[in-house]
Amino acid sequence: MRTIRNRLCTAGMASGMAVAEKGRSDLGKEVEEKLHEFITYLKQKNPHSSYDVAKRTVLLLREVCSKTRWYSARDLITNIRAAGKKLIAAQPSESAVGNMVRRVLKIVREEHASCVAGSVDEVDVRALLQGRDDSDDLSRQTPHLKGSVIEIINDLLGELELSASNISSQAPDHIHSSEVLMTTGYSKTVEAFLKAAARKRKIEVIVAESAPFYRGQELAKNLAVAGVETIVVTDSAVFAIMSRVNKVIIGTHTVMADGSLKAINGSYALCLAAKRHSVPVLVCAALFKLSPQYPCSYDHDTFNKIVSPHDILRFSEGQLVSKVHVQNPVFDHVPPDLITLFVSNIGGNAPSYVYRLISELYHPDDQEL
Amino acid sequence: VTVHDCSFDIYSVGTISGLRAELKVATETLIKARTSTVSVSSGCELFLRFITMTSLEGQNDFEDLRRKLIKRGDMYLQKVADSRQKIAHIANPFIRDGTTILTHSRSRVVYCLLKEAMSSGKRIKVFVTASTIDNSGEEMHQLLQDAKVPSKVILDSAVGFIMEEVDLVIVGAEGVAESGGIINKIGTYQMAVMAKALNKPFYVVAESFKFVRMYPLNQGDLPNDEKYTSVNSSEDSHPYIDYSPPQYITLLFSDIGVLTPSAVSDELIKLYL
């Protein structure tokens, strides 16, 4: 036992790589099984709800914390990173996985710092100037770390579960009576938001159907069933109808670190039309969708998911298919200057404030896992 | 960096306040001597703060403090020297393969970044403005040629003409203001406005010691002694620097990470408190 413990400690301090290789044995059979199960789930082609993905990631990481063998914060961080890397590699376009891994890593670092020094760890230039090297700090053993990390992870799970209802409870603050709202595609957050607004205000909703998946039609049906006055329009009518719209409310897949969005295809056109008509754009997105990464070349190939063109041009139209190049991207990149407000579970924030949220939720050392 | 080499002669003074006074005198002499005064003044200001912080850690013996200061100063110098490489590493992923880059005048940080992009196997093409006030653009062109980066010098007035051909603009900075805007060689402002007009990303690379506690609202807010060169400081001569407001800047790359212009004031507070 002692020799294994010594080996782990020295390996952990010497190089993360060595322990990552040992990672397989460090994670234990039970956790490895669950990891593989989740990876299979991620690799399926069906679009996943980011909430489900985020929740499952946190549950898995809680297993890693509670059921694997680790002796210091550094070991735990290495274990989490090893698991996280595999998950992200399984489905790189699913940013919720990476976000949750980094959230948990920040939790571990914070709890370690408060166990050791009684003060919250802060990365700043002064620390760099004073040559404070905290790589040794993380290898210090803290007895209560496990308990407090599990507790905070449970808080995180609670936050995830309540995020949709927290966002929709803010609806009456942002929506006034007799307003015409516009949205595109189908976002569960936006659906809940609009339903909550409809309970207290008289609103009318225009939904762009969002070809080629036509999920906007699904949203329109759900809203109509709930008694909200809904109109469905084609995507090409968005600009024409924008002059009658008071507010645009959209959901998003991811919020990037500069405040830009990775949203469903069609959102960029909607936001441009809104800007042209000076219509405020509200983005309803929970904090687990906030990613600390900037849209740049390291994920250029994985930024957008291009799926089968069958929905645009059926394969049965064989003659045409061989002569044209058909692309069916799933996402749009919306720059931050087109967005007015982010409505998240902690309240409303401007896109220029996103940097602050990121510095509170994530640690810069975890950028590259 | 050479600034700190000079200011590192810790004179034989007996007290901390004596030391501070000496350093202040040294700072003023340096500012009068060089032309790029904004980075000098911010660097010296930070160094003075650094001293204050060290002395606050309660040293009874002055000799002890002196040794500690020298050690810390060396460490700081080392970090500053490494910061250019760190910035190049952080900013490298934002330059894709096959991009055309426009830059302004001569900046060592931009040069370091372009060299890194080249060595990581990317094919890039660079346009450099001649920056005719002192032809530093030609110097940059020479440096890039030596590093085997394909580059071309363009007229300062050709920035608008060439903007449609470039994919992104990268400039250095003499100073980063509290608003998130930058103070840089004259000609940067019009490049920023052009880039915004044609929807090209405008990136700034600057080390953290260049963050200065200034909040200019327009060009007139830049202090005159920094605007004009020390050679002909009359108001009739040409200004040497200009201010580019934060709304034209896409991202700032610094050794403390990637920042949006709105994040700069937060970082400044952390540096100076």
Side-chain angles (χ1 to χ4, degrees):
Chain A
M1 261 325 225
R2 205 170 259 267
T3 49
I4 299 173
R5 178 182 158 165
N6 285 339
R7 253 195 290 147
L8 280 172
C9 281
T10 47
M13 274 192 268
S15 86
M17 277 298 280
V19 185
E21 278 162 52
K22 276 191 184 184
R24 226 157 260 166
S25 52
D26 278 348
L27 290 180
K29 265 208 189 126
E30 202 187 323
V31 177
E32 275 288 325
E33 253 177 55
K34 290 201 174 140
L35 187 64
H36 280 297
E37 206 186 304
F38 191 29
I39 288 178
T40 328
Y41 168 75
L42 281 175
K43 281 191 172 158
Q44 287 167 8
K45 300 282 180 177
N46 322 335
H48 307 106
S49 142
S50 2
Y51 168 71
D52 284 333
V53 171
K55 190 165 176 191
R56 285 185 72 152
T57 312
V58 178
L59 287 170
L60 181 72
L61 292 175
R62 192 176 63 176
E63 299 284 311
V64 170
C65 289
S66 57
K67 296 204 176 131
T68 60
R69 200 174 289 171
W70 51 274
Y71 299 100
S72 69
R74 179 152 292 283
D75 291 339
L76 178 57
I77 286 175
T78 320
N79 285 352
I80 296 174
R81 276 192 178 172
K85 263 201 195 121
K86 285 188 204 162
L87 291 173
I88 292 171
Q91 186 68 272
S93 67
E94 209 42 75
S95 49
V97 178
N99 299 346
M100 290 296 101
V101 172
R102 292 182 178 95
R103 277 294 283 275
V104 173
L105 285 171
K106 169 87 175 176
I107 288 172
V108 173
R109 285 175 197 271
E110 258 179 19
E111 288 307 305
H112 174 85
S114 64
C115 283
V116 166
S119 65
V120 182
D121 187 25
E122 226 184 78
V123 175
D124 57 353
V125 186
R126 278 194 322 172
L128 290 174
L129 289 177
Q130 288 174 344
R132 225 186 282 153
D133 196 10
D134 65 350
S135 60
D136 289 337
D137 259 353
L138 285 172
S139 312
R140 212 185 297 184
Q141 293 179 20
T142 37
H144 308 293
L145 187 62
K146 192 170 194 169
S148 47
V149 166
I150 304 278
E151 198 185 314
I152 307 284
I153 292 182
N154 286 334
D155 286 344
L156 176 61
L157 275 169
E159 184 200 309
L160 280 180
E161 278 157 25
L162 291 174
S163 50
S165 62
N166 278 341
I167 293 174
S168 50
S169 64
Q170 296 173 55
D173 299 330
H174 295 292
I175 314 290
H176 310 304
S177 205
S178 310
E179 280 208 319
V180 178
L181 309 171
M182 184 149 192
T183 185
T184 182
Y186 181 41
S187 160
K188 283 199 239 145
T189 323
V190 172
E191 186 190 352
F193 190 84
L194 291 172
K195 282 182 176 168
R199 277 194 282 272
K200 293 233 170 109
R201 311 262 188 266
K202 179 180 167 300
I203 56 169
E204 199 181 296
V205 180
I206 303 177
V207 184
E209 61 182 4
S210 174
F213 309 111
Y214 298 107
R215 298 209 70 205
Q217 294 180 357
E218 213 179 306
L219 172 65
K221 192 180 88 171
N222 291 350
L223 286 175
V225 161
V228 181
E229 201 167 316
T230 319
I231 302 171
V232 178
V233 295
T234 54
D235 302 317
S236 40
V238 157
F239 187 86
I241 218 144
M242 189 54 73
S243 48
R244 297 163 128 256
V245 176
N246 297 115
K247 285 195 175 78
V248 169
I249 305 189
I250 51 173
T252 179
H253 181 265
T254 310
V255 180
M256 314 297 292
D258 56 350
S260 63
L261 303 180
K262 182 171 156 179
I264 193 176
N265 143 50
S267 310
Y268 190 20
L270 183 63
C271 292
L272 280 171
K275 181 91 179 185
R276 173 66 174 68
H277 290 91
S278 298
V279 174
V281 176
L282 268 67
V283 178
C284 295
L287 278 184
F288 68 82
K289 291 186 176 175
L290 181 61
S291 166
Q293 298 186 311
Y294 289 86
C296 70
S297 69
Y298 53 63
D299 63 353
H300 184 48
D301 296 322
T302 52
F303 184 83
N304 215 332
K305 224 167 41 170
I306 311 233
V307 295
S308 162
H310 179 76
D311 301 303
I312 299 177
L313 190 63
R314 276 186 288 273
F315 291 122
S316 51
E317 291 161 20
Q319 274 189 324
L320 194 54
V321 164
S322 55
K323 292 177 189 148
V324 300
H325 190 70
V326 185
Q327 280 191 345
N328 192 2
V330 177
F331 299 120
D332 254 349
H333 175 250
V334 182
D337 49 342
L338 298 178
I339 301 160
T340 317
L341 196 70
F342 282 111
V343 180
S344 69
N345 43 309
I346 57 166
N349 294 110
S352 56
Y353 195 67
V354 167
Y355 77 91
R356 191 58 184 270
L357 295 174
I358 288 183
S359 66
E360 280 168 22
L361 297 175
Y362 306 107
H363 197 274
D365 287 347
D366 299 328
Q367 270 278 34
E368 292 173 30
L369 284 175
Chain B
V1 184
T2 50
V3 163
H4 295 284
D5 290 330
C6 303
S7 67
F8 235 112
D9 291 325
I10 297 188
Y11 301 98
S12 52
V13 288
T15 60
I16 297 172
S17 40
L19 171 63
R20 271 178 74 236
E22 291 280 3
L23 279 170
K24 276 210 167 102
V25 169
T27 311
E28 267 144 48
T29 346
L30 279 165
I31 287 176
K32 286 205 184 81
R34 290 188 50 128
T35 48
S36 60
T37 55
V38 179
S39 45
V40 168
S41 67
S42 70
C44 292
E45 171 89 37
L46 268 170
F47 192 69
L48 275 172
R49 298 254 157 194
F50 190 45
I51 305 283
T52 320
M53 254 181 14
T54 315
S55 64
L56 278 174
E57 283 172 26
Q59 295 290 331
N60 294 325
D61 184 15
F62 188 72
E63 270 309 305
D64 220 6
L65 173 67
R66 199 157 166 257
R67 260 179 273 123
K68 204 173 177 187
L69 275 173
I70 293 176
K71 184 169 147 237
R72 288 261 177 94
D74 285 334
M75 211 181 343
Y76 184 62
L77 275 174
Q78 187 56 43
K79 289 238 164 27
V80 166
D82 291 338
S83 59
R84 254 179 237 152
Q85 200 49 49
K86 198 169 173 197
I87 295 173
H89 181 71
I90 289 173
N92 194 12
F94 289 78
I95 299 177
R96 300 197 185 131
D97 191 22
T99 46
T100 307
I101 299 168
L102 174 63
T103 185
H104 183 58
S105 183
R106 185 177 69 101
S107 163
R108 280 170 293 188
V109 193
V110 176
Y111 170 63
C112 198
L113 169 61
L114 293 174
K115 234 178 26 165
E116 168 109 3
M118 197 66 184
S119 57
S120 57
K122 294 175 188 166
R123 290 160 292 191
I124 56 172
K125 205 168 96 173
V126 182
F127 288 109
V128 192
T129 54
S131 190
T132 46
I133 198 162
D134 57 359
N135 277 320
S136 45
E138 295 276 358
E139 287 172 37
M140 180 72 162
H141 172 66
Q142 199 51 57
L143 281 172
L144 288 171
Q145 295 284 62
D146 295 337
K148 307 241 181 357
V149 178
S151 79
K152 189 172 171 202
V153 178
I154 59 166
L155 294 173
D156 295 335
S157 30
V159 164
F161 176 79
I162 211 85
M163 191 58 79
E164 61 188 37
E165 267 187 57
V166 305
D167 296 311
L168 50 95
V169 184
I170 304 182
V171 300
E174 301 232 349
V176 179
E178 210 171 324
S179 54
I182 58 160
I183 295 159
N184 198 24
K185 191 80 176 299
I186 191 84
T188 314
Y189 181 35
Q190 56 210 40
M191 199 182 274
V193 175
M194 274 307 309
K196 184 83 178 183
L198 270 75
N199 259 321
K200 308 285 180 185
F202 186 84
Y203 296 130
V204 175
V205 282
E207 301 99 314
S208 58
F209 71 83
K210 287 180 175 163
F211 283 30
V212 61
R213 290 183 78 178
M214 224 193 260
Y215 206 113
L217 296 172
N218 54 20
Q219 307 301 327
D221 280 344
L222 293 176
N224 273 346
D225 54 5
E226 287 171 8
K227 237 198 287 192
Y228 302 102
T229 64
S230 54
V231 178
N232 38 352
S233 49
S234 74
E235 292 220 344
D236 294 330
S237 68
H238 305 290
Y240 194 77
I241 52 173
D242 64 19
Y243 169 64
S244 309
Q247 62 259 36
Y248 300 109
I249 299 170
T250 318
L251 286 175
L252 267 129
F253 301 107
S254 151
D255 45 301
I256 34 184
V258 184
L259 304 169
T260 48
S262 42
V264 169
S265 60
D266 250 23
E267 295 298 329
L268 257 176
I269 293 173
K270 282 192 221 156
L271 271 176
Y272 278 89
L273 273 182

